[in-house]
Amino acid sequence: MSDKSASISGQLQTELLIIGGGIMGLWAALQAERRGIRTMLVDAGAIAGGASGGLLGALMPYMPDKWDAKKQLQFDALVSLEAEIADLEAATGLSAGYRRSGRLIPLPKPHLRVIAERHSKDALRNWHQGNHQFFWNPLDGSPCGDGWPADEFAVGGLVQDTFAARVSPRGLTHMLARRLEQAARVAVTEGLAIEAIDAATSTAVFRDGTKVAFGHLVVATGHHSFDLLSSIGPALAKPLGQPVKGQAALLKAEIAPDLPLLYLDGLYIVPHEGGQVAIGSTSENHFNDATSTDVLLDDLLLRACRLAPVLEDAEIVERWAGLRPKAIDRDPMVGIHPDAERVIALTGGFKVSFGLAHVLANAALDAVEGKAMALPDSFSLAHHIRVAVD
Ligand SMILES: Cc1cc2nc3c(=O)[nH]c(=O)nc-3n(C[C@H](O)[C@H](O)[C@H](O)COP(=O)(O)OP(=O)(O)OC[C@H]3O[C@@H](n4cnc5c(N)ncnc54)[C@H](O)[C@@H]3O)c2cc1C
């Protein structure tokens, strides 16, 4: 345990205990520091050793149509993330590999162009805030020239989304961890797995026998959160989510870092800094080995080379697989545990965590401080409980 944590009568105590040092737990710890809350952040392995230590880093907005509170929240989060990252970069001297490079979406069928024209008006109406206006531009050809993406996929033209961005998952998590080293009130401990939560005494019991008495506890253990939350009491007897495996790859290619992301039918091609390009990702509900890569990734790479032929000669730098937390209704899951008023869930980001985590963490900290969470209902733990019952 770090010397920033306090020990009283042999048992550790802290105002706030955060379990899990992925993107969710890291942001929660930073938000706690900003609010002056004495905090312990504990991870069973290394910080960002779970899903947050991946490769892809796409920051994709929801579609600009059918606007609602959930889409507005994500829009605001994707806008505010830019300033958050700039502040962190200034504080740490590190880079998160962030860039609002936009995205190109080829339209393989002519009728999709009509829908794209409609969404272009939706974006004008909904994708703006202050000086920011982002576009969903239907185009006849790629603004990047031949092959990004290949013409064969752009039968109906393509859409240029100027809002999408990307970040290096490892760059951002490393930067957050560095920022927490500078924090006065946050102690980080790696290699300590939580075993049980005793809600009656507000005590966390770790696998090595360590006990920590907490004022509040934030459960941010990714896909492990569902079982951990279930174990606390009868209200969540059935886990409210599941792990979904994803595979991705990192390539080295001679391409400009400001090229837009490409997206087609679940395939993401994400250019990063330094000629690196991430390809992702599979979505596997059933799997034998959480961390192995296989023919599903090979298929994805073949599809990527067809969509962007410039990648055909690219060197594969890394193949990677991990488990994302998918809550029962797919949206993130944040809120107070019905059987334990001092325990707050912060999980379930599934495929959009990196763009939302700073805002979700802020809401979780509001709950810690007894304030109302400014989140759409579908992001609340209570909503996921209702869905599970129906
Ligand atoms: C292939 C792939 C591609 C993806 N691409 C994107 C993308 O482009 N954009 C995007 O936004 N999202 C993407 N995601 C999703 C995103 O990575 C996840 O939603 C996010 O990382 C989840 O963060 P988390 O903090 O909830 O969980 P995690 O990052 O999994 O962190 C949970 C932490 O809890 C710790 N832990 C678990 N159990 C215990 C315990 N008992 N005691 C203590 N600690 C424990 C783990 O060690 C881990 O460090 C992708 C995911 C995958 C797999």
Side-chain angles (χ1 to χ4, degrees):
M1 291 278 170
S2 150
D3 56 9
K4 282 191 260 184
S5 51
S7 178
I8 296 177
S9 308
Q11 177 172 277
L12 290 158
Q13 294 197 336
T14 186
E15 270 181 82
L16 176 62
L17 178 60
I18 300 172
I19 308 290
I23 192 68
M24 296 287 197
L26 287 166
W27 274 116
L30 182 57
Q31 307 285 14
E33 166 75 8
R34 287 172 178 168
R35 292 173 190 231
I37 300 173
R38 196 164 53 81
T39 299
M40 287 171 57
L41 170 64
V42 178
D43 197 290
I47 291 295
S52 304
L55 305 171
L56 206 55
L59 300 171
M60 304 281 212
Y62 292 131
M63 296 290 293
D65 64 330
K66 298 182 188 143
W67 207 245
D68 60 11
K70 169 174 129 177
K71 292 191 175 190
Q72 185 66 49
L73 180 110
Q74 195 222 24
F75 177 89
D76 293 341
L78 288 171
V79 171
S80 64
L81 183 61
E82 193 162 316
E84 288 277 11
I85 286 177
D87 283 353
L88 284 169
E89 289 184 337
T92 61
L94 298 173
S95 166
Y98 173 88
R99 196 186 279 259
R100 193 177 296 289
S101 357
R103 163 174 66 153
L104 292 175
I105 309 161
L107 304 172
K109 303 230 167 77
H111 78 272
L112 295 173
R113 179 64 174 255
V114 181
I115 300 170
E117 302 282 357
R118 212 167 52 229
H119 288 160
S120 150
K121 296 195 183 84
D122 293 324
L124 277 179
R125 203 167 34 247
N126 299 320
W127 279 8
H128 68 86
Q129 184 200 86
N131 295 330
H132 299 288
Q133 172 72 64
F134 303 102
F135 300 96
W136 184 270
N137 287 331
L139 302 174
D140 292 331
S142 170
C144 307
D146 286 350
W148 195 267
D151 284 348
E152 65 169 303
F153 296 97
V155 174
L158 31 77
V159 166
Q160 179 190 38
D161 148 17
T162 66
F163 188 30
R166 52 86 166 152
V167 68
S168 157
R170 292 174 189 174
L172 178 54
T173 50
H174 180 61
M175 196 165 76
L176 281 161
R178 178 68 64 83
R179 175 68 189 84
L180 292 176
E181 283 169 18
Q182 304 164 345
R185 298 170 202 86
V186 179
V188 178
T189 302
E190 298 179 279
L192 194 59
I194 194 167
E195 176 90 13
I197 297 166
D198 182 346
T201 59
S202 294
T203 305
V205 182
F206 290 85
R207 246 169 241 163
D208 70 349
T210 302
K211 290 185 179 174
V212 178
F214 55 81
H216 283 87
L217 170 68
V218 169
V219 176
T221 49
H223 72 93
H224 294 282
S225 305
F226 305 122
D227 284 342
L228 193 52
L229 292 164
S230 275
S231 70
I232 294 175
L236 305 187
K238 205 171 124 209
L240 289 178
Q242 64 171 107
V244 176
K245 180 176 174 179
Q247 301 183 41
L250 192 64
L251 312 183
K252 178 94 177 133
E254 295 296 318
I255 64 160
D258 59 352
L259 274 181
L261 289 74
L262 297 181
Y263 178 75
L264 182 65
D265 291 339
L267 166 67
Y268 301 72
I269 301 180
V270 185
H272 284 278
E273 302 296 316
Q276 299 209 309
V277 184
I279 310 291
S281 60
T282 62
S283 281
E284 302 161 56
N285 288 318
H286 305 286
F287 48 85
N288 292 322
D289 182 349
T291 56
S292 66
T293 61
D294 55 32
V295 291
L296 295 176
L297 183 57
D298 298 339
D299 286 348
L300 212 58
L301 284 163
L302 284 174
R303 283 181 61 205
C305 291
R306 237 184 106 189
L307 183 60
V310 67
L311 299 178
E312 271 164 13
D313 298 325
E315 173 198 348
I316 299 179
V317 178
E318 184 177 345
R319 296 164 65 100
W320 181 87
L323 298 182
R324 337 168 162 90
K326 183 179 169 197
I328 200 157
D329 203 28
R330 203 183 168 97
D331 282 347
M333 192 174 100
V334 188
I336 297 172
H337 194 293
D339 293 319
E341 60 183 7
R342 292 175 173 276
V343 176
I344 290 118
L346 174 60
T347 187
F350 194 38
K351 293 186 174 181
V352 292
S353 301
F354 273 80
L356 283 170
H358 61 300
V359 168
L360 301 176
N362 215 21
L365 266 292
D366 280 344
V368 166
E369 293 193 318
K371 300 176 188 156
M373 295 193 308
L375 287 180
D377 181 60
S378 68
F379 284 16
S380 69
L381 176 59
H383 165 79
H384 288 86
I385 294 171
R386 284 196 298 275
V387 171
V389 169
D390 288 349

